[in-house]
Structure formats: C-alpha cells, structure tokens
Amino acid sequence: MNILVAIKEIKEIEPLSNIGATEFYCGVKRSNTSSLVFNINRRCRDDLIFKCNFVSYDELKEALEIVHSLDKKIFLTLNENYTKEQFKQVLKELDQISKINLDGLIVTDLNLILELKKNYSNIPIHVSMLSAIFNSEAVKFYKELGASRIIFPRLIFADELKSIRKNCKNIELETFIDFFIGCPNVEGFCSSIHHLNPLIPTLCSKEYLYRINSEYEIPPEIESTCRICNIYDYLNIGIDSLKLTGREYPFEFVYISSYMIKKFLDIAKKCESKKTFVKLVYNNMDKVIKNGIKELNSISSFKIEKENIFKFKQILKSSILCRSGNIDLCYFKNEVI
Amino acid sequence: MEFALYLDNIYDFKEKTKFYFQEIHKNINKNRYLFLLNKIDNLKFSRLYFGSEFCERLIPTTKELEKVINFCKKNKINLTFMTPIITDDPYIENFKKIFKVINDSNLEKKEVIFNDWGVFRLLKKFSNLDLVLGRFLTKQKKDPSFIEDLFNKNFLNLDNETQDIIKKSTIDTTELLKKFLKKNDILRAEFDNVYQGINIDSDIKKTLYYPFVPVCLTRLCKAHSYVTKKPYIRGKNECMKECKYTSYTYSINNVHMFLKGNVQFYCNNHLPKNIHEFDRIVFEPFEFKLI
C-alpha cells in the first residue's frame, strides 16, 4: 500500500521520501489573482505568506525529475468544476501538462475527463474525491471513461470500501488517512466557494454555524478526524494508496503525519487482528510521535519551526480521541469490516 | 410552464396531495410562493417529484412507491422519482427493485433524477425511464454566506468574469459534455434558484427548484443526536429518520439558513429574470417544522 503525500516545495520531496512516502501530489498555480477565472485548482490561496502550490510548470518538471529518480510517482491536481470561461484556461494548462511525463492527473469535472479521454489519452486519470464516489457502479462508470484510479471521499466507511474493492478489481483505489480536515460536508456536494480568500466569510467548512447561532441546548460533539485504526482495515481490503493531505499546512505537520502513517502501516502488516493493531496503536502513539519529531529535527536542509510542532501536537490532541482519553468513543477503533 | 410538486415522504400524503393537486385553486392565495408562481402561469401541478435526493436512508420502500404510482395513475399526474448518492449495500439491489417497479408501471411519463453517476449506470438498464441530471450534478455555486456583498462593488468588487462564473453551471462548458448527455439520453437538467441568478447556454430542458436551495450535504448527520440530546460521536450513527419532523434555523451574514437532517438550505423568494428559459418549476413546500 502506497503512502501519498502532499507537497508544495521541491525540497520537501527527499525528506518525505526517506520516511516512506511513495507517491506525491501537488498543484500548480501561476497567478496570484483571486479571480475565479484562474481558480482552476481547488487550493488557490497562495499569496506572499501562504503557499500551497508550485508556482510554475518548470518547478513541477524539476520535482518530477527528482521523484522519478527516486522511483516514485507524482500526481497533479486540476480538481475544480469549470465553467466555459475557466475551461479555456484549463485547456492552456493541459497543453503544458501533456508535455511532461506526469504519473496522473487528479480531476473531477466531467468536461475535463471527457477531454482527457478524447485528446490526452496518455495522461492517467485519477478521479478526485470531489466526484463523491460511494459505490461500485460509480467506480465502473468512471473506469469506463478511462479512469485508472478512484479517490474516495473522506466520509466513506471501511465496510463500504470493502464492498467496492470486491466488485471492482482492476482499478486503483485511494482513500484518505489524515488528521487535519474537520469539514463534515461531502466535498463533492458542497457548493460553497472553497477557500476563495480567507477574508471572505464563505460557508466553507462551517457546519457549526448552527451551533454558533443556536438559542437551544445542543448536545456535545465528540469528533475525531483520526483514522489510524483504519490502516489495518485498508490494508486488508486491498486499498492501493493512503492519502495524506496538507498542501496548505506547514511541512512539520506533513512530515510527522507521514512518519506516523508509515510506522503504523509497518505495524499493521505484522498484526493478525484489528484488536491487536488498535492496542499497539494506543500503546505506541506517543513514542511514534516523539520519534517523528526527533527525525524531523535531524533534517539539516529545513529550518524547523518549533511553534508548528507545538500546533501539530495540539491538533493531534484534539483530533485523536484515544489521546484525549476518549478511546471508548472512537468509532473507527471499533469499525468492523 | 409545467409545475411539479416536491414531496420527499408520504407522511400526510392524502392531505398534501389534496391541498396541492385537487384544491390548488382554493389555496393559491393562502401561500405567497404559490401566489407568485401563479403570476408566471396558471398554476396547476401536473407532476409529482417523489423520493429522496439527500440521503439513502430516506429512499422510499417499493410499497410506498406503489402507493404514489397508484395516486399518479388515478389522477393522471406524471411522476419524477428522485434519488440520492448511495453506497453499495443494500442500496444498489434496492434501487434495481425500485426502478423495475417504475419502469414496469403503466404511467405515461416517468422520469428518474440521478445525483450519482453510479445510479445513472444502474438506470441505463431500464429502457422506459427518462433520465434527468440532478441538481447536485449541475454544479452551481450556491454559497449563501456572502450574498449581501456579492454585487456590492464597495466590498468584494468582483470582476465581471467572476460575476459571470458564479452564475454558471458546468453542463454548458464543452460540446463534449453536451454530446455525452445527449448520447446517453439525458435530456433534462435540474437547477437551483440561486441568489446570484442563472446563466446556462444549453439546449437541454431545464428545471428550476423553488424556493429552497440546498447548499451542502453531510454523511455525519446529527438529527438523532439533536433530538435525543445524546452526545454526537463521529461515525455511522443511529437514525430514526428524525429529519422528517425536525429542522433548525440560523443565520449567516443575515442570510436565513435551515438545517434539515444532513442538508443545509437557504431560501430565495425571488424568481430569476430569465425564468422563461426554464420549462418546469418544482415547488418545494415549506415543510420545515422548526425546533
């Protein structure tokens, strides 16, 4: 099972590769305008202090050379839904993309998928989680349109993936395993304007507006974005790739998370039951995080921000239930496939 | 203009159908939305939208469906069956049975709306059904949170191209997609009555939903937790279909929002200026019993 990690700078490739990342994904955003015409990549918030994409195809090409020299793969996101005006820009990008030896293009728009099938059959199509694929029939639909990999939404459960794997053999399946995104919406069916500009108050990720506005008593919510215990399930189901998002997060976050996933994946391979795996996760979590931070500090090519490590620890505490003493309330620990 | 009535369950079916189908002429002036629709054309509902668009747990049983089909037959009403995104088990098999019931019924014009391309693939096996592209697949921008400021040049100052983009959908983006839809006999697409207006350049038949606009959908539904006041724990949760009788309201940037089960809506009372480009309006009655 591959570990797929987000990158936004070339210098991130080697350290992530050294700790077990076998696949990478990224975006390219050449313009810093907030105009939607150029918003052809779902993460478009790059500005002077915030970077989550490569800034040119030259940078992507350089990344490709490094990744391929390490015998690993790199995928590019072109994962918005496009109007006619935006699609003109997309076609220009496709011209550039077709000239480089890309391992896969992450897409959701049916216009783009049909365009790739017709005119760019050499580019492998990875159908984004934004296509909201929850069943075998949908996987078959996209496979018939030329998709080589399906990326499932965050809100799919292990038993649902198991059924899909059983019914769809010859296609790669990718699923999320990350801690950062608390958004409760099915991304493919959310019509908010995604992170257009941090200053504009859009509906994005704000399901709790009701809670904020409510005059009534609302029961507490115990939410975890951690799916570490699912690694065992995903391994047994036959998932091809585990995706760790984080283009918009500091490198420290991505590094320690990747380290954790790799370590727990290695442990899962040796476990005979989920129960044993869950126990080992619980007992080893602190040690793995500590070792991850130690490894991170040993990278000489990076200036490590202590503040980011502190923030990361805080996020882990709030998103991993077993760290906050709520282990019995973790659904994913008990999920049976 | 064809008018359709939206019903997502059969609770009070008799009363509702009596109100909207048999006695609509008496009730037009009792409801400001109906009153407005009547100004567009002589309001008479000739089609029923039935089913579940938002949640697989609310898909009607074949028995419920048969009841609705019988009503449609008896009253010469056309039927459009709505479907949500689904997971494999047991919904694929359930849908095969449900589609067979509709396919084999002797209703004249029967449509099925799909919001999941997997459901579309299932539907292709049923030759008597007209296929309709659902409103979650037409990909309109529906973010209500900055409606007030959308066209306020002193605030957002959106350029003309951006203003145009937020009125668009993806179904008219390329000829390739238009041909794909035609080739697959998808001759109608559904649209929401979004605040910023709608600008679609396509020959496809267009439906407009009025007045509620669903903005986003989750699989982490808290309806059960809200009703029972038990803590909500992320994961697959209990469901007693509480959303059928509960909903909640709140505001974001002065826009009134509704939370019903796993969906958030806003309401847009105004009809678009280009209403003549639509040949069907689906009226969504205000069934939110606010808590």
Side-chain angles (χ1 to χ4, degrees):
Chain A
M1 190 155 60
N2 288 297
I3 296 176
L4 169 58
V5 184
I7 49 169
K8 52 190 170 297
E9 286 185 273
I10 287 171
K11 63 180 180 179
E12 295 173 350
I13 296 170
E14 215 179 307
L16 290 170
S17 177
N18 289 342
I19 55 164
T22 47
E23 296 176 331
F24 301 92
Y25 79 96
C26 61
V28 173
K29 194 192 177 210
R30 293 183 291 175
S31 165
N32 273 333
T33 172
S34 66
S35 166
L36 283 179
V37 181
F38 299 100
N39 180 13
I40 57 169
N41 193 327
R42 196 157 155 88
R43 291 274 182 272
C44 62
R45 261 182 57 189
D46 298 56
D47 54 35
L48 289 175
I49 51 162
F50 188 90
K51 184 179 188 303
C52 54
N53 293 298
F54 288 144
V55 291
S56 68
Y57 281 97
D58 285 338
E59 206 179 350
L60 174 62
K61 261 189 229 169
E62 204 183 326
L64 260 168
E65 279 169 26
I66 297 169
V67 168
H68 286 171
S69 74
L70 296 165
D71 204 19
K72 299 187 177 184
K73 289 181 177 176
I74 191 162
F75 315 125
L76 178 71
T77 57
L78 212 53
N79 55 351
E80 262 294 357
N81 286 297
Y82 306 111
T83 64
K84 205 182 268 183
E85 202 55 41
Q86 288 172 306
F87 204 72
K88 287 177 196 163
Q89 184 68 22
V90 171
L91 288 176
K92 284 182 199 164
E93 304 281 324
L94 275 183
D95 239 17
Q96 298 257 1
I97 292 164
S98 63
K99 289 173 192 155
I100 54 178
N101 190 16
L102 199 67
D103 298 305
L105 193 61
I106 301 169
V107 297
T108 183
D109 190 322
L110 206 50
N111 290 287
L112 179 53
I113 293 173
L114 293 168
E115 178 70 28
L116 287 167
K117 190 186 177 195
K118 190 180 176 213
N119 296 323
Y120 300 91
S121 56
N122 59 325
I123 303 175
I125 299 171
H126 292 196
V127 183
S128 166
M129 55 90 132
L130 292 163
S131 295
I133 299 170
F134 286 97
N135 58 66
S136 310
E137 290 294 317
V139 172
K140 287 173 193 167
F141 169 81
Y142 283 105
K143 194 180 169 205
E144 284 158 8
L145 289 181
S148 62
R149 180 180 287 201
I150 301 294
I151 306 165
F152 291 100
R154 285 191 176 82
L155 298 182
I156 195 163
F157 294 95
D159 60 328
E160 293 157 1
L161 284 171
K162 188 183 176 187
S163 167
I164 292 172
R165 175 82 288 174
K166 197 177 130 203
N167 297 325
C168 310
K169 302 281 182 205
N170 300 315
I171 189 160
E172 291 180 335
L173 306 183
E174 177 183 314
T175 192
F176 283 85
I177 183 87
D178 56 8
F179 324 108
F180 310 129
I181 316 280
C183 180
N185 294 319
V186 174
E187 289 94 335
F189 286 161
C190 180
S191 324
S192 72
I193 294 182
H194 193 74
H195 293 299
L196 177 65
N197 181 322
L199 298 175
I200 300 175
T202 69
L203 190 70
C204 194
S205 301
K206 296 188 186 72
E207 189 225 22
Y208 304 113
L209 283 167
Y210 169 65
R211 298 184 69 80
I212 296 163
N213 281 259
S214 177
E215 296 165 16
Y216 309 98
E217 187 197 340
I218 301 291
E221 287 175 9
I222 297 152
E223 295 221 313
S224 166
T225 51
C226 164
R227 290 239 173 146
I228 288 178
C229 291
N230 276 146
I231 293 177
Y232 180 84
D233 303 313
Y234 296 154
L235 191 65
N236 285 291
I237 289 167
I239 297 297
D240 298 282
S241 190
L242 287 181
K243 185 174 209 158
L244 196 56
T245 48
R247 272 194 284 165
E248 68 275 44
Y249 290 100
F251 174 70
E252 290 86 347
F253 283 34
V254 180
Y255 186 91
I256 305 170
S257 309
S258 309
Y259 183 88
M260 285 168 68
I261 300 305
K262 172 64 177 155
K263 290 296 163 197
F264 287 122
L265 179 58
D266 290 343
I267 291 172
K269 283 176 186 167
K270 292 174 196 157
C271 285
E272 280 176 11
S273 71
K274 182 159 179 183
K275 206 175 165 189
T276 321
F277 179 65
V278 169
K279 204 173 168 189
L280 286 169
V281 169
Y282 184 70
N283 291 337
N284 288 290
M285 179 77 78
D286 293 328
K287 196 172 113 192
V288 170
I289 294 171
K290 206 173 152 191
N291 288 345
I293 295 170
K294 207 169 143 191
E295 286 274 334
L296 176 70
N297 283 319
S298 68
I299 306 170
S300 53
S301 56
F302 261 94
K303 187 179 171 265
I304 307 300
E305 303 282 347
K306 289 256 178 328
E307 196 191 331
N308 284 339
I309 295 178
F310 177 75
K311 273 189 210 162
F312 180 74
K313 280 183 175 171
Q314 295 300 108
I315 287 177
L316 284 188
K317 251 189 188 170
S318 60
S319 64
I320 302 182
L321 287 184
C322 57
R323 292 303 93 192
S324 56
N326 284 327
I327 186 164
D328 292 334
L329 298 177
C330 179
Y331 173 83
F332 303 106
K333 180 196 79 153
N334 297 317
E335 195 172 19
V336 182
I337 58 163
Chain B
M1 180 69 76
E2 182 185 18
F3 290 104
L5 178 74
Y6 184 102
L7 287 184
D8 60 2
N9 60 62
I10 58 159
Y11 290 85
D12 306 327
F13 187 75
K14 220 173 173 180
E15 290 75 16
K16 284 176 200 164
T17 47
K18 191 178 170 197
F19 186 95
Y20 290 107
F21 286 104
Q22 280 99 0
E23 296 180 354
I24 182 67
H25 57 284
K26 284 189 204 164
N27 297 321
I28 286 170
N29 292 338
K30 290 181 188 167
N31 179 311
R32 65 171 168 153
Y33 301 111
L34 296 178
F35 182 76
L36 191 66
L37 291 177
N38 193 46
K39 279 188 171 177
I40 293 169
D41 204 346
N42 184 21
L43 178 61
K44 193 182 172 214
F45 291 108
S46 55
R47 180 175 288 277
L48 177 63
Y49 270 48
F50 178 70
S52 162
E53 279 183 290
F54 306 120
C55 181
E56 59 186 6
R57 288 165 166 172
L58 299 175
I59 295 169
T61 61
T62 44
K63 261 194 177 170
E64 288 172 334
L65 180 62
E66 276 161 1
K67 184 179 172 182
V68 171
I69 289 174
N70 286 337
F71 167 82
C72 290
K73 260 188 229 169
K74 198 176 156 193
N75 295 282
K76 293 184 181 158
I77 304 286
N78 296 320
L79 176 68
T80 300
F81 185 72
M82 302 179 286
T83 65
I85 46 163
I86 56 164
T87 52
D88 274 8
D89 191 24
Y91 301 104
I92 287 184
E93 286 309 313
N94 285 0
F95 262 160
K96 283 180 187 168
K97 285 176 202 157
I98 285 174
F99 294 156
K100 191 171 180 319
V101 170
I102 308 172
N103 190 68
D104 296 349
S105 72
N106 53 4
L107 285 174
E108 253 184 53
K109 290 176 185 173
K110 46 216 175 187
E111 291 179 346
V112 180
I113 296 172
F114 61 93
N115 284 293
D116 178 329
W117 286 105
V119 174
F120 160 75
R121 198 170 178 279
L122 285 175
L123 280 167
K124 278 179 78 177
K125 291 162 195 158
F126 297 91
S127 54
N128 296 337
L129 302 176
D130 292 340
L131 308 187
V132 180
L133 188 69
R135 51 178 164 168
F136 275 114
L137 293 178
T138 47
K139 302 293 175 193
Q140 289 171 279
K141 295 284 182 199
K142 302 176 196 170
D143 200 318
S145 43
F146 55 101
I147 282 175
E148 282 196 336
D149 305 311
L150 206 56
F151 298 107
N152 180 350
K153 289 203 169 169
N154 296 324
F155 180 59
L156 284 180
N157 196 20
L158 295 177
D159 54 68
N160 291 339
E161 285 163 323
T162 302
Q163 286 196 26
D164 189 43
I165 282 169
I166 58 176
K167 290 179 189 172
K168 299 289 279 184
S169 143
T170 58
I171 70 150
D172 62 354
T173 298
T174 61
E175 289 305 313
L176 271 177
L177 182 62
K178 287 181 188 172
K179 276 183 197 163
F180 175 84
L181 297 176
K182 253 187 201 162
K183 195 180 144 198
N184 286 289
D185 298 320
I186 303 164
L187 304 176
R188 175 175 292 280
E190 312 282 284
F191 295 93
D192 276 309
N193 184 29
V194 288
Y195 183 85
Q196 67 268 27
I198 309 163
N199 178 10
I200 311 293
D201 174 23
S202 171
D203 294 340
I204 199 162
K205 286 179 183 168
K206 302 174 199 74
T207 305
L208 184 78
Y209 286 69
Y210 176 82
F212 293 103
V213 179
V215 178
C216 50
L217 176 153
T218 181
R219 292 190 81 208
L220 304 175
C221 179
K222 300 191 177 83
H224 182 74
S225 167
Y226 284 175
V227 169
T228 58
K229 305 285 178 201
K230 285 182 190 165
Y232 171 80
I233 299 166
R234 194 171 190 141
K236 269 191 187 174
N237 273 284
E238 264 185 90
C239 168
M240 307 294 284
K241 301 183 181 172
E242 291 85 352
C243 56
K244 285 188 175 175
Y245 58 88
T246 61
S247 52
Y248 303 85
T249 179
Y250 57 94
S251 303
I252 167 167
N253 296 3
N254 297 327
V255 179
H256 214 60
M257 299 285 296
F258 303 91
L259 176 71
K260 190 169 191 270
N262 64 339
V263 192
Q264 295 181 71
F265 300 85
Y266 73 86
C267 179
N268 181 11
N269 303 340
H270 307 284
L271 283 158
K273 283 176 192 162
N274 56 346
I275 185 71
H276 58 275
E277 290 178 20
F278 297 85
D279 67 346
R280 180 187 295 171
I281 296 176
V282 181
F283 173 63
E284 304 159 286
F286 189 91
E287 283 189 29
F288 298 102
K289 287 176 187 165
L290 297 176
I291 287 183

